[in-house]
Amino acid sequence: RKEVEQDPGPFNVPEGATVAFNCTYSNSASQSFFWYRQDCRKEPKLLMSVYSSGNEDGRFTAQLNRASQYISLLIRDSKLSDSATYLCVVGSNYQLIWGAGTKLIIKP
Amino acid sequence: SQTIHQWPATLVQPVGSPLSLECTVEGTSNPNLYWYRQAAGRGLQLLFYSVGIGQISSEVPQNLSASRPQDRQFILSSKKLLLSDSGFYLCAWNDQGGEQFFGPGTRLTVL
């Protein structure tokens, strides 16, 4: 089993729809969780950290389920500019383990 | 504010040639530094990380090496490039296991 697993997609979603991704991790001792966004041929950029209580930033909501060892990302009212690859990242101590990413394509 | 620089942005090198990629961070002290490689359509592969000057840990055995001659400078090198070394090389930094921040990357093509 991979340490961090994501559905590679692509998810083809019409503009304005709601889309959700899940990401599972294998190390129950993981302490930090993040979602990054990567545009084609660009570096990853932090989208949001994921806290135990869940957190929301505008149209984006992240949740952590420690018991089932997964994190989720929900995007509401999707925009064309949301098209990107979304990377799930799980960390302990100094090291972060990266998922391979889920590709999202928002269609007009 | 902190910034991270990488150069060059793109590089085309013949098989067997040497490589040197440089990364520098500004606006922070004693950062953790990382080198990743991303093959086309794939996830990030951690190559090296450093928690201090002269301290390098290698995650994947290969023909690459890394050095940290100064606190905010991280260098990725190879004596002889292989075709399989082609990819997108990303340098990143963080503090104590927090979120990582990336440089713009170097796209390396080995022919």
Side-chain angles (χ1 to χ4, degrees):
Chain A
R1 180 184 175 188
K2 291 181 183 177
E3 292 185 79
V4 177
E5 287 199 75
Q6 294 182 253
D7 183 338
F11 285 46
N12 290 283
V13 175
E15 190 176 8
T18 296
V19 60
F21 313 132
N22 275 349
C23 164
T24 58
Y25 60 95
S26 60
N27 183 359
S28 60
S30 298
Q31 301 159 349
S32 53
F33 308 88
F34 308 95
W35 282 104
Y36 277 72
R37 170 195 170 126
Q38 186 175 24
D39 293 299
C40 188
R41 302 178 71 82
K42 296 288 188 181
E43 73 275 22
K45 292 187 178 178
L46 180 68
L47 179 65
M48 56 199 308
S49 302
V50 187
Y51 304 121
S52 296
S53 56
N55 48 306
E56 186 174 314
D57 182 2
R59 298 181 293 108
F60 298 84
T61 300
Q63 298 278 355
L64 167 63
N65 186 318
R66 284 192 183 272
S68 301
Q69 293 183 206
Y70 74 86
I71 64 173
S72 63
L73 178 68
L74 180 79
I75 305 174
R76 291 180 298 277
D77 187 23
S78 53
K79 312 290 185 189
L80 294 176
S81 57
D82 294 333
S83 297
T85 296
Y86 290 83
L87 303 169
C88 167
V89 191
V90 176
S92 57
N93 299 320
Y94 57 83
Q95 195 166 359
L96 299 183
I97 307 298
W98 294 73
T102 297
K103 187 170 184 177
L104 174 64
I105 300 171
I106 305 298
K107 295 182 177 289
Chain B
S1 64
Q2 300 88 359
T3 54
I4 178 168
H5 304 278
Q6 274 187 258
W7 61 92
T10 59
L11 192 58
V12 180
Q13 292 283 100
V15 169
S17 64
L19 173 75
S20 181
L21 302 180
E22 189 162 344
C23 169
T24 59
V25 181
E26 295 177 359
T28 186
S29 295
N30 197 30
N32 297 324
L33 295 172
Y34 305 82
W35 276 113
Y36 289 92
R37 176 172 60 205
Q38 186 176 37
R42 306 290 294 276
L44 292 166
Q45 179 188 33
L46 180 63
L47 301 175
F48 300 95
Y49 66 88
S50 172
V51 299
I53 296 174
Q55 300 178 63
I56 308 294
S57 296
S58 174
E59 289 296 302
V60 182
Q62 58 212 317
N63 67 318
L64 299 171
S65 62
S67 62
R68 185 169 177 174
Q70 300 180 46
D71 181 44
R72 288 169 287 176
Q73 184 185 29
F74 206 22
I75 298 172
L76 182 70
S77 304
S78 174
K79 291 182 180 177
K80 287 186 177 182
L81 284 169
L82 306 173
L83 287 174
S84 57
D85 290 326
S86 293
F88 190 35
Y89 287 82
L90 290 155
C91 180
W93 75 273
N94 72 352
D95 289 323
Q96 299 296 324
E99 62 265 30
Q100 291 180 356
F101 299 94
F102 287 83
T106 295
R107 198 160 297 278
L108 172 67
T109 303
V110 182
L111 301 174

